[in-house]
């Protein structure tokens, strides 16, 4: 069973604050993703990566940076957090050469920006 | 507009009833997946189903790519089936992530 671990699980910050969400997967998947989930919009892709050092822009990248430091670790950075970034964030991993493209999600990180 | 349409938006079932959830896509797709979101928010992969029919316990997924639709059948529903069911499509260009529907919220009562 693929394992994807996110931290922190809950975070409260103020407008203008600096937030880093962390994600680690332990199944040697090449692809990792960051999604946000909001009522009325469903899950939307922020950034994704094909491997260490690689970064691709998703559908809603504004206000977010990401970095893939190793095959296992993918970080999402909010350098000047705004209330519009209050959301439930999910990290996911997959690899078509390992598991036929099935997506495995972490437990989610709830971010509140006051 | 929304590329993935799920219906119904919500569903109330009495324990033991069957249910059919629908997912329709407006663009061509490579494959699709079904997920279950627990009431507290965590996501569980149910099916990776490029085409045809797959069954897992009381759940059955059927995907017809050329008709751009997929369905999830829940048989003999249980209270623990309550939650939100999401479908997501993978477009032709794999690994650019999935496009998700808004989900069907299922509530099962005794």
């Amino acid at each position: 069973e693929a394992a994807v671990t996110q931290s922190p699980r809950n975070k409260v910050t103020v407008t203008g604050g600096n937030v880093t969400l962390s994600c680690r997967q332990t199944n040697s998947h090449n692809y990792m993703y960051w999604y946000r989930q909001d009522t009325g919009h469903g899950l939307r892709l922020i950034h994704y990566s094909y491997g260490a050092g690689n970064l691709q822009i998703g559908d809603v990248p504004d206000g977010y940076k990401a970095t893939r430091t190793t095959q296992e670790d993918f970080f999402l950075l909010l350098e000047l957090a705004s209330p519009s970034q209050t959301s439930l964030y999910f990290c996911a991993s997959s690899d078509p050469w390992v598991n036929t493209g099935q997506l495995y999600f972490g437990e989610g990180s709830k971010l509140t920006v006051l | 507009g929304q590329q993935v349409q799920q219906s119904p938006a919500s569903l109330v079932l009495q324990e033991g009833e069957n249910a059919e959830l629908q997912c329709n896509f407006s663009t061509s797709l490579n494959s699709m997946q079904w997920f279950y979101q627990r009431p507290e928010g965590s996501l569980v992969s149910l099916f990776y189903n490029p085409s045809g029919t797959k069954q897992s316990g009381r759940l059955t997924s059927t995907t017809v790519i050329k008709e751009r639709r997929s369905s999830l059948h829940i048989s003999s529903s249980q209270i623990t089936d309550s939650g939100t069911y999401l479908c997501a499509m993978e477009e032709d260009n794999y690994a650019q992530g999935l496009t998700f529907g808004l989900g069907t919220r299922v509530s099962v009562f005794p």
Side-chain angles (χ1 to χ4, degrees), chain A residues 91-110:
Chain A
C91 176
S93 74
S94 76
D95 197 317
W97 313 115
V98 173
N99 62 340
T100 68
Q102 189 170 354
L103 207 64
Y104 293 90
F105 280 93
E107 294 291 308
S109 297
K110 184 178 179 182

Side-chain angles (χ1 to χ4, degrees), chain A:
Chain A
E1 181 74 21
V4 181
T5 305
Q6 293 182 229
S7 63
R9 297 291 309 282
N10 281 284
K11 176 74 176 180
V12 180
T13 190
V14 295
T15 299
N18 210 319
V19 177
T20 298
L21 303 180
S22 302
C23 178
R24 166 165 283 200
Q25 55 95 5
T26 58
N27 293 281
S28 303
H29 289 173
N30 284 327
Y31 301 102
M32 295 186 74
Y33 308 85
W34 277 107
Y35 287 88
R36 60 177 290 175
Q37 185 178 32
D38 306 285
T39 303
H41 291 281
L43 279 127
R44 293 178 291 175
L45 183 63
I46 305 171
H47 288 297
Y48 61 105
S49 168
Y50 295 156
N54 176 267
L55 182 64
Q56 304 293 323
I57 293 172
D59 299 322
V60 289
D62 292 346
Y64 301 96
K65 292 184 180 179
T67 178
R68 181 89 177 269
T69 54
T70 64
Q71 186 178 35
E72 294 78 20
D73 299 302
F74 196 28
F75 300 93
L76 186 68
L77 298 84
L78 292 75
E79 294 183 332
L80 288 171
S82 71
S84 65
Q85 294 176 306
T86 293
S87 187
L88 181 59
Y89 291 87
F90 287 99
C91 176
S93 74
S94 76
D95 197 317
W97 313 115
V98 173
N99 62 340
T100 68
Q102 189 170 354
L103 207 64
Y104 293 90
F105 280 93
E107 294 291 308
S109 297
K110 184 178 179 182
L111 174 66
T112 303
V113 184
L114 302 175

Side-chain angles (χ1 to χ4, degrees), chain A residues 31 33 35 37 40-45 48 50 59 88 90 94-96 99-107, chain B residues 2 31 33 35 37-38 40-48 86 90 93-102:
Chain A
Y31 301 102
Y33 308 85
Y35 287 88
Q37 185 178 32
H41 291 281
L43 279 127
R44 293 178 291 175
L45 183 63
Y48 61 105
Y50 295 156
D59 299 322
L88 181 59
F90 287 99
S94 76
D95 197 317
N99 62 340
T100 68
Q102 189 170 354
L103 207 64
Y104 293 90
F105 280 93
E107 294 291 308
Chain B
Q2 189 73 23
S31 70
Q33 301 184 33
F35 297 87
Q37 188 165 28
R38 297 188 178 102
E40 78 270 18
S42 61
L43 287 160
V44 177
S45 177
L46 296 176
F47 292 102
Y48 174 82
L86 301 169
E90 169 196 324
N93 192 347
Y94 173 79
Q96 288 192 356
L98 301 176
T99 301
F100 283 81
L102 297 182

Side-chain angles (χ1 to χ4, degrees), chain B residues 19-81:
Chain B
E20 186 97 353
L21 282 56
Q22 299 292 338
C23 191
N24 292 283
F25 310 94
S26 59
T27 62
S28 61
L29 70 156
N30 199 36
S31 70
M32 60 75 53
Q33 301 184 33
W34 282 94
F35 297 87
Y36 166 67
Q37 188 165 28
R38 297 188 178 102
E40 78 270 18
S42 61
L43 287 160
V44 177
S45 177
L46 296 176
F47 292 102
Y48 174 82
N49 189 3
S51 65
T53 298
K54 292 191 174 183
Q55 184 175 1
S56 176
R58 295 179 295 102
L59 301 179
T60 303
S61 167
T62 299
T63 297
V64 184
I65 290 285
K66 63 180 181 181
E67 295 180 11
R68 298 183 182 176
R69 62 176 176 84
S70 183
S71 64
L72 180 69
H73 183 84
I74 305 173
S75 64
S76 303
S77 61
Q78 299 180 359
I79 294 172
T80 52
D81 293 333

